[in-house]
Amino acid sequence: QERLEDVGLMWELLSEKWDKKYRLLVKFRQKEGHSMVPKGYIEDGTKLGNWLDRQRREKKKGKLDRSLLDKLEDTGVVWDVLTEQWEINYRLLVKFQQRE
């Protein structure tokens, strides 16, 4: 952060952009009941799905700031989407078998 400020980059601007996208994620969760934003999903002209995918990649590389990671986790973000989708489908299969 200090090096970015040394070259005149407004750190607050980056933070404001992140916070705006985070607020859109919270809005999505309130509307949909989950934070599994599809990759191509766009909200208010913002590519929210792409942004969340980028956050996942940054976390995987160990480059996502802990405070941002905590905020995303508090919103219910799933980090391993494929595993989560498998679990959801498995639970649906079990329910289906129990009905039959």
Side-chain angles (χ1 to χ4, degrees):
Q1 179 176 346
E2 186 176 309
R3 290 182 65 199
L4 292 173
E5 290 169 355
D6 288 346
V7 294
L9 184 62
M10 300 291 285
W11 189 255
E12 292 78 26
L13 180 61
L14 294 175
S15 179
E16 286 175 26
K17 284 184 175 185
W18 194 94
D19 285 339
K20 177 186 176 204
K21 291 173 183 174
Y22 175 76
R23 285 190 301 273
L24 289 174
L25 175 63
V26 170
K27 180 179 171 183
F28 177 92
R29 180 175 172 81
Q30 290 170 342
K31 183 171 62 173
E32 301 295 333
H34 61 81
S35 295
M36 297 267 295
V37 182
K39 190 171 182 180
Y41 184 81
I42 297 173
E43 177 80 33
D44 293 341
T46 297
K47 295 178 180 177
L48 185 60
N50 289 344
W51 174 79
L52 185 54
D53 187 56
R54 192 167 43 255
Q55 303 310 302
R56 288 185 179 111
R57 287 193 313 268
E58 291 297 305
K59 179 192 180 286
K60 191 173 186 175
K61 292 190 263 182
K63 294 184 176 183
L64 186 61
D65 183 87
R66 185 73 216 178
S67 65
L68 302 180
L69 190 143
D70 289 343
K71 285 180 82 168
L72 291 169
E73 287 184 346
D74 289 345
T75 311
V77 167
V78 171
W79 298 110
D80 187 344
V81 177
L82 292 176
T83 299
E84 180 66 17
Q85 193 59 55
W86 191 94
E87 291 292 336
I88 289 169
N89 289 334
Y90 178 77
R91 287 190 299 270
L92 289 172
L93 176 62
V94 168
K95 277 185 180 180
F96 176 77
Q97 285 184 324
Q98 289 171 348
R99 282 192 349 222
E100 296 303 309

